[in-house]
Amino acid sequence: MEEKRFIYLDHAATTPAREEVVEAMLPYFTKEFGNPSSVYTFSQKNKAVITGCRETIANSLNCKSNEIYFTAGGTESDNWALKATAKAYATKGKHIITTKIEHHAILHTAKELEGDGFEITYLDVDENGIVKLEQLKEAIRPDTILISVMFANNEIGSIQPIKEIGVIAKENGIIFHTDAVQAYGQVPIDVDEYNIDMLSASGHKLNGPKGIGFLYIRTGLKLRSFVHGGAQERSRRAGTENVPGIVGLAKAVEIAFATMKERTDAEIVMRDYVIDRVLSEVPYARLNGHRTKRLPNNVNISFQFIEGESLLIMLDMAGICASSGSACTSGSLDPSHVLLAIGLPHEIAHGSLRLTVGDENTMEEMDYVVGHIKEIVQRLRDMSPLYEDFMKKNK
Amino acid sequence: MYSEKVMDHFTNPRNMGEIENPSGVGTVGNAKCGDIMRIYFDIDENQVIQDVKFKTFGCGAAVATSSMATELVKGKTIYEALQVTNKAVMEALDGLPPVKVHCSLLAEEAIHAALWDYCEKNDIKIEGLTKPKNDISEEEEEEEY
């Protein structure tokens, strides 16, 4: 019998923390446990450590270190960005522009703000999952206070025209936030070049620890605290600092940016290999998201006549970890809002498969995965009444 | 997430396939919600289900409930088959996660739809057996959940 394999292809969900990251963190749980707010030398060392970490992260975005605010992760950063902007700028206006393909951390926060009397415009995307700039320009009103557009989509990997959106926001004097949870560490980001005013990022998507992230807030924005209490994070985000988390995040960022070119080049080779082979060897399959304007690690393919959860379970039995936009995996009856937004009919959205590669994956694994995808898709199609009807009709 | 029995019926589905010239066939569910089940019956002159096959588009639970439902009705009379409920299918599978209970309902509906087809062809009336409401061959209706 074949040895049980383990092939992790869900790096958009989370990534393993690097050994170096964990090693860097460990002393801060036990020996160097001091609270950075305390006065004595033992704890003040940790304050200095945090300052160093903040600088590492600031360098990665070309911003100042006092513009980086540590949070518990991407979701908190997104919540903070939207809610605090809404609160601080409500006197200027109550209109916010975002997109239909945002992560739920943005969409559900926006829904919450609607309940508080804010008006939200949800921009469409084209068939490749890219925001339409003309529609953005038309959506802008005198009372628009915020544009929030994700840097790259978590499901289909499409990279948004962030630079162009930044220009439009700046010309109109509107704050621009981007959820860069998927893109940070995968593509170069310069907040000045892109006119980004706020940016959300998370540690565990780039081989850092879970439970830590940050929000970049450009100097001059009058955002208030989101978590009230002590004077941490310049009184803008209270709570004793997650020192090990911050150290781990900074280590992960340091490695991610030092290795970005080489790492993402290798990911692109694997990504394109899987896309090309699956599309040419499996009939009735389509790529979701833009062919080239996509994250280096993202493959998202819909297979007609089959349902995603079945596919995932069978891949799991072959030792392959993947994800899907099917309703059965979302816990609701509707398939992914992103796949619907790019115009996929429900039944095709149900049959989607997302594979996100990471730097521990190999080309040999890609061959194994493609082989299993072909076999499993055919097996599920042989079970599918939709396939039966289709084949009879097209005989 | 799934019981061992569900996984067993998903990975080794019983009675998967189709029957040429079936005595009755029923298709329920819709692709919009991500579940479609089709059941074929071969029913003899004594109204006994001699053979049954299914095809399913759907999640692991949908495949497993179809498979189990076919096992439960095989060799039964049409009247006995009508008594097979979604609860019986679920129990035989050692339970389903709450979000998957609708799959077992769909299996029950598929049996009823195939029986309805058989009864209609043979001019048999059975009390309580009604025309399937969400057969995909009909106009697709917007369903509220």
Side-chain angles (χ1 to χ4, degrees), chain A residues 295-310:
Chain A
L295 287 171
N297 68 355
N298 177 289
V299 176
N300 189 312
I301 293 175
S302 281
F303 300 98
Q304 259 181 281
F305 319 117
I306 65 167
E307 194 277 331
E309 193 213 67
S310 293

mmCIF file of all heavy atoms in Angstrom, chain A residues 295-310:
data_model
loop_
_atom_site.group_PDB
_atom_site.id
_atom_site.type_symbol
_atom_site.label_atom_id
_atom_site.label_comp_id
_atom_site.label_asym_id
_atom_site.label_seq_id
_atom_site.Cartn_x
_atom_site.Cartn_y
_atom_site.Cartn_z
ATOM 1 N N LEU A 295 -2.568 36.257 -7.364
ATOM 2 C CA LEU A 295 -1.557 35.960 -6.359
ATOM 3 C C LEU A 295 -0.673 34.806 -6.837
ATOM 4 O O LEU A 295 -1.158 33.875 -7.471
ATOM 5 C CB LEU A 295 -2.223 35.584 -5.032
ATOM 6 C CG LEU A 295 -2.863 36.743 -4.265
ATOM 7 C CD1 LEU A 295 -3.672 36.216 -3.086
ATOM 8 C CD2 LEU A 295 -1.796 37.726 -3.785
ATOM 9 N N PRO A 296 0.619 34.866 -6.514
ATOM 10 C CA PRO A 296 1.544 33.833 -6.988
ATOM 11 C C PRO A 296 1.153 32.420 -6.544
ATOM 12 O O PRO A 296 1.537 31.454 -7.181
ATOM 13 C CB PRO A 296 2.877 34.222 -6.334
ATOM 14 C CG PRO A 296 2.745 35.651 -5.973
ATOM 15 C CD PRO A 296 1.283 35.913 -5.735
ATOM 16 N N ASN A 297 0.396 32.332 -5.447
ATOM 17 C CA ASN A 297 0.146 30.992 -4.894
ATOM 18 C C ASN A 297 -1.252 30.456 -5.156
ATOM 19 O O ASN A 297 -1.601 29.394 -4.684
ATOM 20 C CB ASN A 297 0.421 30.998 -3.380
ATOM 21 C CG ASN A 297 -0.579 31.837 -2.609
ATOM 22 O OD1 ASN A 297 -1.443 32.500 -3.194
ATOM 23 N ND2 ASN A 297 -0.478 31.813 -1.301
ATOM 24 N N ASN A 298 -2.078 31.195 -5.913
ATOM 25 C CA ASN A 298 -3.499 30.841 -5.981
ATOM 26 C C ASN A 298 -3.935 30.144 -7.268
ATOM 27 O O ASN A 298 -3.741 30.653 -8.361
ATOM 28 C CB ASN A 298 -4.341 32.112 -5.784
ATOM 29 C CG ASN A 298 -5.831 31.855 -5.905
ATOM 30 O OD1 ASN A 298 -6.332 31.600 -7.000
ATOM 31 N ND2 ASN A 298 -6.535 31.901 -4.798
ATOM 32 N N VAL A 299 -4.557 28.976 -7.073
ATOM 33 C CA VAL A 299 -5.234 28.257 -8.163
ATOM 34 C C VAL A 299 -6.692 28.144 -7.754
ATOM 35 O O VAL A 299 -6.978 27.735 -6.628
ATOM 36 C CB VAL A 299 -4.660 26.831 -8.338
ATOM 37 C CG1 VAL A 299 -5.425 26.052 -9.407
ATOM 38 C CG2 VAL A 299 -3.172 26.873 -8.646
ATOM 39 N N ASN A 300 -7.616 28.545 -8.626
ATOM 40 C CA ASN A 300 -9.039 28.339 -8.321
ATOM 41 C C ASN A 300 -9.741 27.900 -9.599
ATOM 42 O O ASN A 300 -9.810 28.644 -10.564
ATOM 43 C CB ASN A 300 -9.679 29.610 -7.754
ATOM 44 C CG ASN A 300 -11.083 29.336 -7.225
ATOM 45 O OD1 ASN A 300 -11.905 28.710 -7.900
ATOM 46 N ND2 ASN A 300 -11.363 29.793 -6.013
ATOM 47 N N ILE A 301 -10.221 26.676 -9.567
ATOM 48 C CA ILE A 301 -10.800 26.088 -10.780
ATOM 49 C C ILE A 301 -12.174 25.527 -10.461
ATOM 50 O O ILE A 301 -12.377 24.908 -9.408
ATOM 51 C CB ILE A 301 -9.871 24.977 -11.332
ATOM 52 C CG1 ILE A 301 -8.563 25.612 -11.845
ATOM 53 C CG2 ILE A 301 -10.551 24.180 -12.439
ATOM 54 C CD1 ILE A 301 -7.517 24.641 -12.314
ATOM 55 N N SER A 302 -13.143 25.775 -11.353
ATOM 56 C CA SER A 302 -14.470 25.174 -11.196
ATOM 57 C C SER A 302 -14.601 23.990 -12.135
ATOM 58 O O SER A 302 -14.216 24.080 -13.303
ATOM 59 C CB SER A 302 -15.570 26.181 -11.538
ATOM 60 O OG SER A 302 -15.768 27.061 -10.468
ATOM 61 N N PHE A 303 -15.140 22.907 -11.602
ATOM 62 C CA PHE A 303 -15.407 21.717 -12.400
ATOM 63 C C PHE A 303 -16.913 21.578 -12.540
ATOM 64 O O PHE A 303 -17.616 21.473 -11.531
ATOM 65 C CB PHE A 303 -14.834 20.471 -11.721
ATOM 66 C CG PHE A 303 -13.347 20.544 -11.530
ATOM 67 C CD1 PHE A 303 -12.806 20.929 -10.310
ATOM 68 C CD2 PHE A 303 -12.488 20.242 -12.574
ATOM 69 C CE1 PHE A 303 -11.435 21.010 -10.132
ATOM 70 C CE2 PHE A 303 -11.113 20.320 -12.406
ATOM 71 C CZ PHE A 303 -10.585 20.714 -11.192
ATOM 72 N N GLN A 304 -17.395 21.581 -13.768
ATOM 73 C CA GLN A 304 -18.826 21.440 -13.978
ATOM 74 C C GLN A 304 -19.308 20.061 -13.542
ATOM 75 O O GLN A 304 -18.575 19.085 -13.641
ATOM 76 C CB GLN A 304 -19.127 21.614 -15.466
ATOM 77 C CG GLN A 304 -19.658 22.988 -15.813
ATOM 78 C CD GLN A 304 -19.943 23.076 -17.294
ATOM 79 O OE1 GLN A 304 -19.022 23.246 -18.083
ATOM 80 N NE2 GLN A 304 -21.204 22.969 -17.659
ATOM 81 N N PHE A 305 -20.538 19.992 -13.113
ATOM 82 C CA PHE A 305 -21.305 18.772 -12.786
ATOM 83 C C PHE A 305 -20.923 18.119 -11.461
ATOM 84 O O PHE A 305 -21.463 17.082 -11.112
ATOM 85 C CB PHE A 305 -21.174 17.684 -13.887
ATOM 86 C CG PHE A 305 -21.216 18.219 -15.279
ATOM 87 C CD1 PHE A 305 -20.123 18.086 -16.121
ATOM 88 C CD2 PHE A 305 -22.354 18.870 -15.754
ATOM 89 C CE1 PHE A 305 -20.146 18.585 -17.402
ATOM 90 C CE2 PHE A 305 -22.390 19.368 -17.039
ATOM 91 C CZ PHE A 305 -21.277 19.231 -17.872
ATOM 92 N N ILE A 306 -19.985 18.698 -10.717
ATOM 93 C CA ILE A 306 -19.666 18.093 -9.425
ATOM 94 C C ILE A 306 -19.713 19.153 -8.332
ATOM 95 O O ILE A 306 -19.733 20.353 -8.612
ATOM 96 C CB ILE A 306 -18.293 17.382 -9.404
ATOM 97 C CG1 ILE A 306 -17.149 18.379 -9.586
ATOM 98 C CG2 ILE A 306 -18.234 16.278 -10.463
ATOM 99 C CD1 ILE A 306 -15.798 17.775 -9.265
ATOM 100 N N GLU A 307 -19.712 18.661 -7.102
ATOM 101 C CA GLU A 307 -19.869 19.558 -5.959
ATOM 102 C C GLU A 307 -18.563 19.551 -5.161
ATOM 103 O O GLU A 307 -17.921 18.507 -4.993
ATOM 104 C CB GLU A 307 -21.058 19.058 -5.134
ATOM 105 C CG GLU A 307 -21.591 20.027 -4.101
ATOM 106 C CD GLU A 307 -20.800 19.965 -2.826
ATOM 107 O OE1 GLU A 307 -20.248 18.900 -2.507
ATOM 108 O OE2 GLU A 307 -20.714 21.010 -2.153
ATOM 109 N N GLY A 308 -18.198 20.728 -4.677
ATOM 110 C CA GLY A 308 -16.878 20.918 -4.075
ATOM 111 C C GLY A 308 -16.576 20.103 -2.833
ATOM 112 O O GLY A 308 -15.462 19.626 -2.664
ATOM 113 N N GLU A 309 -17.568 19.940 -1.947
ATOM 114 C CA GLU A 309 -17.254 19.255 -0.696
ATOM 115 C C GLU A 309 -16.858 17.803 -0.938
ATOM 116 O O GLU A 309 -15.933 17.280 -0.324
ATOM 117 C CB GLU A 309 -18.439 19.310 0.278
ATOM 118 C CG GLU A 309 -18.019 18.890 1.674
ATOM 119 C CD GLU A 309 -19.099 18.180 2.447
ATOM 120 O OE1 GLU A 309 -19.475 17.048 2.062
ATOM 121 O OE2 GLU A 309 -19.581 18.736 3.433
ATOM 122 N N SER A 310 -17.562 17.160 -1.871
ATOM 123 C CA SER A 310 -17.226 15.776 -2.225
ATOM 124 C C SER A 310 -15.785 15.700 -2.717
ATOM 125 O O SER A 310 -15.033 14.801 -2.352
ATOM 126 C CB SER A 310 -18.130 15.288 -3.353
ATOM 127 O OG SER A 310 -19.443 15.194 -2.914
#
